[in-house]
Structure formats: C-alpha cells, structure tokens
Amino acid sequence: MVLDELGTPIVLAPMAGGPSTPELAAAVSDAGGLGFIAAGYLSAADLGDRIERTRALTSAPFGVNLFYPSAPSPTETFGAYVTDLAREFPVGEPRYDSDDWDAKLDLLTAAPVPVVSCTFGCPSAPEITRLHAAGSEVWVTVTSVAEAKYAVEAGADALIAQGSEAGGHRGTFADRPADDLTDPLGLLALVQLLTAAVHTPIVATGGITTGAGLAAALSAGAAAAQIGTAFLRCPEAGTAPLLRDAITLDTPTMLTRAFTGRRARGLRNLFMLEHPDAPAAYPEIHYATGPLRAAARTEGNADAVNLWAGQAHSLAPELPAGELVRQLSESAKDALKRALSIRIQGC
C-alpha cells in the first residue's frame, strides 16, 4: 500500500475551493507525506491540468479526492430559504450537478494516480474495481461503523475516519437532518470503534494540528493522519486572505448548513447564527450562496462567508509545507516517547 511507502504517516487533507494547490500537494509529498489534490468544484479538464502540474513538481506519490454525487434535492426543500436570502444578499441559481463525476472517473482511469479518495459517499463496487484495474488505491471517508463496513464491502483499500472536530464538510454518505439530533463521533472514539469493527487501514482526520495530535491518532490505531487546517497558513496553500487571518484568532467553530446545504464546520460568524435552520440541499444551496460569499470575500466581511476550519485552528503555524511536515513528524516522535515514559500502575 501507498501508506507503507511514506516517509511519515501524514496525509494532506484535500481542501476544495481554494486552499488545495499542486504546489501544496507536491511539497507535502516531497517531504515524505502524501499530498492530495482536491477535485471538488473543478471540471474534469481543470482537474487534469492540476494533476499534470503536480506531476511536474514532484515524482513522489500523491492522491486525488472526489466528491461522490448525491441525489438532487426537491425545489420545495430549499426554495423558501433561497428566496429569504435574496431579500438581503446577492444569490445565484440553486442548481444541481454531479461535480463532473463520470468525466473525472474517466480521467483517473485513463491517467491514474496512486490514490483516489472519495467524500460524501462510497463508489460502487464496479467503480472501485475500475480504479483498481487502472492501478489506483481507493480510500473512502467514513464517519461511522456502518459506513466503514459498507466501504469495506465495496472494496475500499483504506478508510479515512473523519471525526466531528474536522473542518469543512462532514463526509457522511447520507446527509439527513434527523441525524443532526445525534452527536457526531469525535475522532478518538471513531478510530477505536473502527479498529474494533474492521481490519482495513484507517487514516484519522479531524482536529489534528500538532505532533501530539498526530501521535494520539497513531496510538489509537490509525495508520496515518490526514491533516488540513494546519496547512492553511502555508505559503503554498491557496487560502483566501480572510481565512488565513481568521484562523489565528481564538474563534469557536460550529457545524452549519447555512452556506452550502450540507453540514460543515467553520469559524462561527453572524451568517451561521442567523440561519440555524438552513435546509439540507447540497449542492443547490452551495450554488445559491456563491455570489454572497464572493462579495463577502471581496469586502473582507468575515461575517458573511464560510471560513472552514477544524476545532484546533488557532494552532496552525505559518510555515512552508515541507517544514511543517517535518515539524509534525518530529514532535509526534517526541510525544510518543513521552507517552512511553509514563509509568502505568502495575506495569
């Protein structure tokens, strides 16, 4: 497996919408981790360009993350919400698309990369078989034991265990509002449950911003950690200035549907607080709020734009990505040594 070949058990989280760049992916891979390109919101042609740019920057392995398409949402689900927003903000057409799934799958089977990961669902067994035949491993983001068992049955090579601490969208297969009443599993609880339920390698993600966090995930049974927020301030990242500055503040995070119609964790702001009952309708609401988010970024208005970040965001350093990988690796080693030096009564 690719995980066995890495110099350090660090995987770059694919952060769609700007932060992920070929330069960031290449820098992480060159430092011994596994860089990722976020394919979400890109056309297949744009994805192909980014893959080629990454290949030109590094000879090390890297991966591509795809959004698994959900079903269209009925207009009555989101119509009233979009109408209300339009009274105060510029809004766009609340349209549906598959995020160019079929074309991206064609691209990745014709010009394969070492790892293809999926978020928002699990590819079918025939789709996974097709990617395997092209020479790619398939990793699937899961948030529960039930999702993990489904992905393993479909043929997934690794599971990305996303704890509730993670910034950005929740990777749940089915985005049901009724599930909002149940606390989502935190990372350590999820990793423990998954290691007891399946034998597939686990990549832990959510709230890991330091070497100590990486060490904790590995100690709980993960084979590696997928880290995103910690890389947002790296010079190679395409992070918007508004977010790059905002994550340095000790602002609480919260889960919201207000910006995209799918639950996501970001820095708490006025727009989230004023729209606590936003409906579940992704990607329709994502497209509807595109103009208002673009306007907020232009105006520097942090209260009307999604600022996706994990719960430990204020610990994100401003370092080159390669240096950050090395720093995380060394501090994880130190944390593990400290843990081993602690005497447990009776041992």
Side-chain angles (χ1 to χ4, degrees):
M1 285 195 71
V2 170
L3 285 172
D4 298 328
E5 301 170 3
L6 299 180
T8 185
I10 293 173
V11 176
L12 173 66
M15 297 174 284
S20 288
T21 65
E23 290 76 17
L24 182 61
V28 171
S29 290
D30 280 344
L34 183 67
F36 255 91
I37 298 171
Y41 312 127
L42 300 179
S43 68
D46 286 341
L47 173 59
D49 289 343
R50 295 198 183 196
I51 291 173
E52 290 309 309
R53 284 170 55 197
T54 307
R55 286 186 172 131
L57 291 168
T58 182
S59 59
F62 64 90
V64 169
N65 174 258
L66 303 177
F67 285 174
Y68 194 76
S70 56
S73 303
T75 303
E76 56 267 25
T77 302
F78 57 83
Y81 180 69
V82 175
T83 298
D84 286 343
L85 289 181
R87 295 189 179 101
E88 185 178 356
F89 302 99
V91 298
E93 178 191 356
R95 61 187 175 85
Y96 170 82
D97 68 24
S98 66
D99 203 51
D100 225 2
W101 170 263
D102 290 334
K104 289 174 181 175
L105 207 59
D106 289 343
L107 169 68
L108 291 169
T109 51
V113 295
V115 179
V116 175
S117 71
C118 290
T119 303
F120 302 159
C122 179
S124 66
E127 288 170 329
I128 291 178
T129 298
R130 186 179 170 198
L131 288 165
H132 282 165
S136 299
E137 293 179 12
V138 178
W139 299 4
V140 178
T141 303
V142 300
T143 62
S144 68
V145 170
E147 291 175 347
K149 289 181 175 179
Y150 183 95
V152 170
E153 181 67 23
D157 300 287
L159 303 173
I160 302 170
Q162 187 194 45
S164 61
E165 305 94 331
H169 286 104
R170 298 284 294 149
T172 49
F173 289 9
D175 188 34
R176 296 179 290 255
D179 294 342
D180 296 359
L181 301 176
T182 303
D183 286 339
L185 289 167
L187 182 59
L188 286 180
L190 179 59
V191 170
Q192 292 173 84
L193 289 168
L194 295 186
T195 54
V198 299
H199 299 293
T200 305
I202 293 165
V203 178
T205 190
I208 300 173
T209 325
T210 64
L214 169 59
L218 298 176
S219 297
Q226 181 174 275
I227 302 173
T229 299
F231 287 93
L232 284 174
R233 299 180 68 211
C234 293
E236 300 92 340
T239 311
L242 198 60
L243 177 57
R244 194 179 287 269
D245 293 338
I247 62 170
T248 64
L249 306 176
D250 192 23
T251 306
T253 66
M254 63 181 284
L255 290 168
T256 182
R257 296 183 189 278
F259 289 108
T260 69
R262 178 178 262 276
R263 290 186 97 192
R265 183 174 297 283
L267 303 184
R268 188 175 67 190
N269 63 13
L270 188 61
F271 191 88
M272 292 181 181
L273 295 174
E274 289 183 342
H275 301 92
D277 300 318
Y282 178 90
E284 290 87 354
I285 292 175
H286 162 75
Y287 287 115
T289 64
L292 74 87
R293 289 181 281 124
R297 281 191 290 269
T298 299
E299 297 164 2
N301 180 6
D303 267 321
V305 67
N306 55 307
L307 300 170
W308 299 150
Q311 288 183 328
H313 61 85
S314 63
L315 299 176
E318 190 172 19
L319 290 172
E323 185 176 340
L324 178 54
V325 170
R326 288 185 284 273
Q327 185 181 95
L328 289 168
S329 300
E330 290 305 313
S331 57
K333 291 177 187 177
D334 292 341
L336 289 168
K337 289 177 183 176
R338 287 195 302 272
L340 288 171
S341 70
I342 297 173
R343 178 176 173 80
I344 300 176
Q345 189 171 1
C347 295

